[in-house]
């Protein structure tokens, strides 16, 4: 099988009766991440392969309203902080990028993974990010530090083939899961 992008179609449906309102092709590449803006007026699409952009579409009419550029390859995860003022994106380019959402401007690129970033999760207060890498590393990022000094902690050991990771609502614990060994919980307060 040839390893190339396939055509993706985003369907918008009316939830009250299930009728399709519009079907629109928004990218010729794989859709690798999705998010809704804090006010739900726009949807964000992360794409794969050569285009590492985050495209922003108006939810009502489907028009492209912005493109956030910075990642060099596919975007794996898109999350808004609890305030809706910051968007955090993870990518196979081994970076996590923090964006000012109102201005749709890149604030900072942080590095710490030695392989692809597969998932990011934010604490509900938006102060911490946990990231899961392809290599099994789970990193905890403190977003309360000044922009020039984002720090991260590498949790004590790698989780073989981690499938998911999350931060507790109080930001004091992290859980990671893999299908073979179950869940791993770290106290990080």
């Amino acid at each position: 099988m040839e390893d190339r992008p396939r055509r993706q179609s985003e369907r918008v449906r009316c939830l009250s009766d299930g009728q399709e309102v519009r079907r629109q092709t928004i990218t010729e590449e794989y859709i690798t991440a999705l998010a809704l803006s804090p006010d739900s007026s726009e949807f964000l699409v992360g794409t794969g392969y050569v285009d590492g952009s985050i495209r922003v579409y108006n939810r009502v009419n489907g028009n492209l309203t912005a493109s956030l550029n910075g990642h060099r390859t596919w975007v794996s995860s898109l999350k808004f902080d609890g305030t809706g003022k910051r968007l955090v994106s993870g990518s196979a380019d081994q970076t996590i990028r923090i964006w000012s959402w109102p201005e749709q401007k890149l604030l900072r690129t942080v590095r710490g993974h030695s392989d692809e970033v597969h998932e990011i999760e934010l604490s509900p207060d938006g102060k911490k990010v946990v990231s899961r890498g392809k290599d099994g590393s789970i990193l905890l990022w403190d977003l309360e530090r000044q922009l020039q000094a984002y720090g991260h902690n590498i949790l004590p050991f790698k989780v073989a083939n981690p499938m998911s990771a999350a931060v507790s609502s109080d930001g004091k614990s992290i859980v990671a899961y893999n299908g073979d060994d179950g869940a791993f919980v770290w106290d990080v307060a």
Side-chain angles (χ1 to χ4, degrees):
M1 181 172 158
E2 188 177 352
D3 191 40
R4 64 184 173 101
R6 64 180 173 156
R7 190 175 190 84
Q8 294 287 311
S9 176
E10 176 64 32
R11 285 181 281 216
V12 178
R13 294 178 183 260
C14 177
L15 295 178
S16 63
D17 61 10
Q19 296 297 311
E20 188 171 296
V21 176
R22 176 183 74 249
R23 180 182 295 207
Q24 164 185 0
T25 300
I26 56 177
T27 181
E28 296 294 323
E29 299 191 53
Y30 283 108
I31 294 172
T32 56
L34 291 170
L36 279 174
S37 63
D39 65 0
S40 296
S41 66
E42 297 173 301
F43 62 94
L44 287 71
V45 176
T47 59
Y49 293 98
V50 296
D51 184 358
S53 69
I54 301 164
R55 295 186 182 113
V56 182
Y57 294 89
N58 180 287
R59 188 172 157 196
V60 175
N61 62 26
N63 292 337
L64 179 68
T65 60
S67 186
L68 308 179
N69 297 300
H71 288 294
R72 293 186 320 266
T73 187
W74 63 280
V75 176
S76 57
S77 195
L78 295 167
K79 303 289 180 184
F80 283 97
D81 72 1
T83 67
K85 293 181 180 175
R86 286 188 293 200
L87 170 69
V88 181
S89 59
S91 171
D93 67 7
Q94 303 175 6
T95 67
I96 296 169
R97 296 181 191 259
I98 296 89
W99 307 83
S100 169
W101 180 245
E103 294 85 21
Q104 298 180 355
K105 176 184 167 192
L106 181 63
L107 296 174
R108 182 78 173 160
T109 300
V110 295
R111 292 171 176 82
H113 282 278
S114 61
D115 207 334
E116 298 173 355
V117 175
H118 276 193
E119 177 184 25
I120 54 173
E121 288 294 332
L122 278 73
S123 60
D125 63 7
K127 294 178 181 179
K128 294 182 180 169
V129 174
V130 63
S131 58
R132 174 178 60 85
K134 179 180 179 181
D135 64 356
S137 61
I138 309 289
L139 276 58
L140 176 65
W141 302 87
D142 182 356
L143 298 187
E144 283 298 290
R145 294 190 183 176
Q146 294 298 318
L147 285 178
Q148 66 273 15
Y150 276 121
H152 71 277
N153 296 326
I154 300 172
L155 298 182
F157 62 93
K158 291 184 178 184
V159 176
N161 304 312
M163 298 168 71
S164 186
V167 182
S168 65
S169 60
D170 62 7
K172 295 180 180 179
S173 299
I174 293 176
V175 63
Y177 171 79
N178 76 9
D180 298 325
D181 301 313
F184 300 82
V185 180
W186 292 271
D187 292 322
V188 293

